[in-house]
Amino acid sequence: MESVEGEASLRGQAEIWKHMFAFIDSLALKCAIELRIPDIIHSHGGPITSSQIASSIDSPSSPEISYIERIMRLLGHKNIFAAQHPSDGGEPLYGLTHSSRWLVTGSDSNQLGPVFLVENHPYMVNSWHFLSQCVKEGGSAIEKAFGGVYIDLASKDQQFNKIFNEGMACNAKFLTREILAGYKHGFDSLKSLVDVAGGIGGLISEIVKSYPHIKGINFDLPHVITTAPVYDGVTHVSGDMFHTIPNADALLLKWVLHNWSDEACVKILKNCRKAIPEKTGKVIVIDVVLQPDGQGLFDDAGYACDLVMMVNTAGGKERTELEWKKLLEEGGFPRYQIIKIPALQSIIEAYPE
């Protein structure tokens, strides 16, 4: 019995060590993305050594090969990259895996690198050090750390605004494919569609491209719209969704409502209700639907995202279906259906009656 208890205790100790250093995995991978290592391996067309990686890094001086070797050893051990160890003791070779292919720039619509850089930006990461203070006092960790939520910081910091918008645009890019595949007929009858808080317009532009009969409106705050490129069939409109939303047959809210408290979401939804037709209008919410049992492929990420919202927003959170139902009803949408897609988010189609 003692040996069993001793083994369990040892495993418990190892588990705590693992969690103690879990941040290193994220920041080592951030380093690899910033150095464009996934792109370098991809451009070579196959596994390469740390020396070959170093020779391809854009740097004013010679990169530290020993640092690259140690970073790649860790990321290879974590199966982010595929590590091959030659039997003759030569340099290990590192190739892409199904995970690191999501970090290759512009390879296709599978791209999470810019999103990763947003979530591991100092604004986001440093805020977590204030979490215990928030538990005791309430409030938002990012506000305690930097004096504002991430939307405020983006409006004041042009570099972060660029990183944030690029991240959201890439998130929209790969998610768009799943939306268009999983919601094929949901856009058929629409003549107009507003992407509420649509960023720089990546999602609405792809929808209009696939459904050219739709008049697309990309709606966001002025500092976001000023960076938005021109798209055929899309009109950029600046404004504030807490005041008024442009009228359309349907409104799209992708990863928007999870940023806000229940009270704020109800206000947004009521404004959405005013902007669509009484009988035929609808709201298309694309957001996480937490599962109580937590056994799904993306459930770990969903629960983690819930804490990201707690730390980096003023009242934002991920929600279960029951929480979504209550929110939609209070916002004027008593009828809804959830459409599963192969992504972290689901589609929630909500109707005013």
Side-chain angles (χ1 to χ4, degrees):
M1 184 63 126
E2 285 186 13
S3 62
V4 173
E5 285 293 322
E7 176 67 21
S9 178
L10 193 63
R11 289 184 180 277
Q13 180 194 154
E15 187 73 10
I16 295 301
W17 280 106
K18 184 177 77 171
H19 289 297
M20 190 186 307
F21 294 125
F23 74 95
I24 294 173
D25 297 345
S26 292
L27 296 183
L29 185 51
K30 178 191 178 187
C31 172
I33 294 169
E34 289 175 333
L35 295 174
R36 304 181 70 86
I37 289 175
D39 293 343
I40 291 169
I41 296 173
H42 177 73
S43 67
H44 276 76
I48 56 175
T49 66
S50 295
S51 299
Q52 289 174 301
I53 292 171
S55 67
S56 298
I57 290 174
D58 183 14
S59 173
S61 59
S62 298
E64 288 283 352
I65 295 177
S66 65
Y67 288 5
I68 296 170
E69 288 172 347
R70 292 155 70 182
I71 291 166
M72 295 304 293
R73 179 172 61 186
L74 171 69
L75 296 177
H77 175 70
K78 296 293 182 177
N79 297 315
I80 299 298
F81 296 100
Q84 301 174 18
H85 300 276
S87 57
D88 62 3
E91 276 195 81
L93 296 167
Y94 295 99
L96 297 176
T97 64
H98 287 297
S99 297
S100 48
R101 285 191 182 94
W102 280 90
L103 304 173
V104 175
T105 302
S107 56
D108 51 25
S109 57
N110 292 354
Q111 194 181 349
L112 277 174
V115 185
F116 196 99
L117 294 180
V118 171
E119 297 300 340
N120 285 274
H121 187 278
Y123 284 150
M124 302 299 203
V125 174
N126 293 346
S127 301
W128 288 87
H129 295 289
F130 292 81
L131 181 54
S132 58
Q133 186 179 339
C134 287
V135 171
K136 295 175 182 178
E137 303 172 358
S140 165
I142 197 169
E143 286 182 305
K144 293 182 187 297
F146 298 105
V149 297
Y150 70 89
I151 294 175
D152 302 323
L153 299 173
S155 68
K156 299 171 184 175
D157 184 334
Q158 289 187 353
Q159 184 181 16
F160 177 61
N161 187 46
K162 182 174 183 292
I163 291 170
F164 181 81
N165 286 337
E166 286 176 353
M168 294 306 98
C170 285
N171 174 54
K173 187 177 178 183
F174 77 80
L175 189 54
T176 296
R177 180 189 61 202
E178 306 303 347
I179 294 168
L180 291 173
Y183 194 61
K184 285 181 180 177
H185 303 298
F187 301 111
D188 286 347
S189 62
L190 302 181
K191 294 180 180 178
S192 58
L193 175 66
V194 175
D195 191 355
V196 180
I200 59 174
L203 176 56
I204 189 71
S205 69
E206 290 300 316
I207 292 172
V208 169
K209 194 182 297 181
S210 297
Y211 297 85
H213 65 277
I214 294 177
K215 175 188 175 184
I217 300 170
N218 181 51
F219 179 68
D220 213 314
L221 294 168
H223 76 271
V224 177
I225 292 299
T226 56
T227 67
V230 175
Y231 299 107
D232 289 340
V234 175
T235 302
H236 295 295
V237 177
S238 64
D240 187 337
M241 62 188 174
F242 287 102
H243 294 155
T244 185
I245 295 171
N247 294 334
D249 294 336
L251 309 179
L252 183 68
L253 296 102
K254 180 189 70 65
W255 240 10
V256 173
L257 296 181
H258 77 153
N259 291 300
W260 302 98
S261 67
D262 289 350
E263 182 182 9
C265 285
V266 169
K267 188 171 184 179
I268 295 168
L269 287 168
K270 285 182 176 179
N271 285 340
C272 289
R273 179 70 183 78
K274 295 173 186 174
I276 59 174
E278 184 78 26
K279 302 290 185 183
T280 60
K282 64 181 175 180
V283 168
I284 306 159
V285 175
I286 299 163
D287 234 315
V288 172
V289 179
L290 291 178
Q291 302 300 317
D293 60 3
Q295 299 300 311
L297 184 62
F298 292 103
D299 283 343
D300 283 353
Y303 287 118
C305 280
D306 182 42
L307 293 196
V308 169
M309 293 299 103
M310 184 169 68
V311 167
N312 290 319
T313 68
K317 60 182 178 179
E318 306 299 354
R319 296 173 171 90
T320 63
E321 181 175 351
L322 287 177
E323 289 172 319
W324 278 116
K325 182 176 186 294
K326 182 175 182 294
L327 202 67
L328 291 168
E329 286 177 349
E330 290 179 7
F333 295 90
R335 189 164 61 92
Y336 73 93
Q337 65 168 330
I338 295 175
I339 302 166
K340 299 284 189 181
I341 56 175
L344 172 62
Q345 303 89 344
S346 296
I347 297 172
I348 307 170
E349 189 179 54
Y351 313 91
E353 60 177 50

